[in-house]
Amino acid sequence: MDKLKIAIQKSGRLYEDSIKLLKDCSIEVNIGIDKLKTTALNFPLEVLFLRDDDIPQYLEDGVADIGIVGKNVLLEKRKRIKIKETLGFGKCRLSIAVPKSLSYNNIKDLNGKRIATSYPFLVEEFFKKKCIDTEIHEISGAVEIAPGIGLADCICDLVSSGSTLFMNGLKEVETVLQSEAVLASHLHLDSTQNIIMEKLLFRIRAVKKAKNNKYILLNVSNEKLEKIISYLPGIKSPVILPLANSECSSVHSVVNENDFWGIIENLKALGARDILVLPIEKIIL
Ligand code: PRT
Ligand code: ZN
């Protein structure tokens, strides 16, 4: 049977989560010793292990059919490929940072400044849109030390916790891009490749939906049941089951991770008791 070729990062920040995503999609991947490529055991997928910077080019050329790569890399490389799905991991932002000692009021303070970055295209676009004139110095690594050694006045680099900036005496002042890992594809997949990709996307979306939601069970006395039901969201509506104690009911529902704590607090205030929260493996609507 034909196989779809997926490119993932060989090692680095996206590797573990990419493999985990496949695993969560029930796709078993046997990782060999040389780790150049491997074949999934129970899904028509061939996995190619590459440097993240090379993935957009391979996707444009059709050497790989689909790939997992940071949106930051994908937009910087400007290859003709399609983003099919955001994946919710590898989250970071591409930000401008200046020395802590520099007093910064607004973006105009960056006029005429030398900016060191590994993302010259995205940085240039950003400043062009804001009509700010800067001098961009492309460097490939250790961007955060550039101001300290006099190579630049400020930097534009990826930030997640902010500790690298902090340790190098820098402060974040502008966000150029919010980024996360995405699944991207070659522009012209044939029909079999498309079918396999859609099967994979179907699984990925089910896993993503499950990750963003929790299954919640609670007990409530029957006189408070109506209020709880009207408040509690659910996929359709909550499940209500009688308890052995006929004055109380058990309510089951699904709540979104983002609203979770607010919902729990309100449920408690409305009389919910014995609240249990469980992870969900997959949601298929
Ligand atoms: O070897 P290869 O070329 O494949 O990997 P790489 O070294 O180029 O990339 P890698 O593994 O560092 O990152 C891969 C992708 O992870 C990036 O393209 C982003 O999409 C994503 N990502 C998420 C990050 C970060 N968070 C991140 N914090 N990539 C890099 N960083 C670096 C950043 O450059 C800085 O040096 O981490 C430092 C800042 O982190 P904090 O936590 O101190 O703010
Ligand atoms: Zn890289």
Side-chain angles (χ1 to χ4, degrees):
M1 191 185 172
D2 284 343
K3 287 188 169 40
L4 190 72
K5 279 178 274 174
I6 183 170
I8 67 169
Q9 198 187 17
K10 185 175 162 61
S11 61
R13 287 168 199 264
L14 302 184
Y15 170 75
E16 297 277 348
D17 285 327
S18 302
I19 292 289
K20 180 163 188 307
L21 178 66
L22 295 179
K23 200 168 165 220
D24 290 345
C25 291
S26 313
I27 297 173
E28 283 176 55
V29 176
N30 228 343
I31 298 157
I33 308 162
D34 63 348
K35 229 177 78 173
L36 286 176
K37 65 176 180 176
T38 188
T39 304
L41 303 177
N42 54 356
F43 195 83
L45 202 63
E46 191 169 303
V47 186
L48 312 180
F49 298 97
L50 300 168
R51 279 200 62 201
D52 67 343
D53 315 71
D54 297 333
I55 291 177
Q57 184 69 61
Y58 281 113
L59 286 176
E60 185 179 86
D61 296 344
V63 174
D65 306 313
I66 58 173
I68 296 177
V69 66
K71 198 171 167 193
N72 50 305
V73 171
L74 194 137
L75 295 182
E76 176 66 25
K77 299 284 180 189
R78 286 165 292 147
K79 301 297 174 193
R80 287 176 306 122
I81 52 185
K82 235 188 283 177
I83 294 184
K84 301 299 295 184
E85 189 72 31
T86 56
L87 299 175
F89 60 84
K91 285 191 177 172
C92 56
R93 50 203 187 272
L94 183 64
S95 291
I96 310 285
V98 302
K100 266 187 210 136
S101 53
L102 191 96
S103 88
Y104 186 88
N105 300 307
N106 60 49
I107 195 162
K108 290 188 186 133
D109 294 339
L110 295 172
N111 238 324
K113 294 277 191 267
R114 296 168 303 158
I115 302 186
T117 186
S118 308
Y119 294 86
F121 171 73
L122 291 176
V123 178
E124 194 184 329
E125 287 279 286
F126 175 77
F127 284 115
K128 215 191 272 169
K129 274 194 202 131
K130 308 268 179 192
C131 300
I132 305 288
D133 230 2
T134 56
E135 206 181 286
I136 296 167
H137 290 253
E138 183 178 355
I139 52 176
S140 59
V143 174
E144 63 280 357
I145 65 168
I149 58 172
L151 190 70
D153 304 306
C154 42
I155 67 163
C156 180
D157 198 11
L158 298 174
V159 182
S160 42
S161 69
S163 66
T164 303
L165 293 184
F166 182 78
M167 283 188 307
N168 285 281
L170 299 166
K171 60 182 177 191
E172 198 175 348
V173 292
E174 301 287 338
T175 306
V176 173
L177 175 79
Q178 293 286 351
S179 183
E180 66 184 280
V182 297
L183 185 90
S185 83
H186 177 62
L187 283 187
H188 309 290
L189 296 183
D190 67 28
S191 61
T192 312
Q193 291 165 335
N194 245 317
I195 289 169
I196 303 172
M197 180 178 70
E198 287 305 325
K199 277 182 195 283
L200 178 63
L201 280 170
F202 179 77
R203 294 190 188 191
I204 289 176
R205 286 172 189 143
V207 168
K208 260 178 74 181
K209 227 177 229 118
K211 271 205 187 108
N212 293 334
N213 289 279
K214 299 272 180 249
Y215 192 79
I216 168 170
L217 301 93
L218 58 90
N219 293 334
V220 63
S221 64
N222 290 338
E223 80 257 18
K224 293 177 180 161
L225 188 57
E226 196 116 331
K227 269 206 166 134
I228 294 272
I229 297 171
S230 65
Y231 177 72
L232 201 57
I235 290 183
K236 291 271 185 301
S237 69
V239 176
I240 314 294
L241 295 172
L243 291 186
N245 169 354
S246 61
E247 286 166 14
C248 293
S249 298
S250 168
V251 180
H252 300 201
S253 191
V254 171
V255 297
N256 192 282
E257 177 91 74
N258 297 330
D259 318 324
F260 179 73
W261 287 110
I263 289 175
I264 297 286
E265 281 161 20
N266 288 335
L267 286 171
K268 273 208 88 176
L270 290 172
R273 295 290 172 264
D274 317 321
I275 303 173
L276 301 182
V277 180
L278 308 176
I280 301 173
E281 201 173 293
K282 294 178 184 73
I283 295 183
I284 295 142
L285 298 177

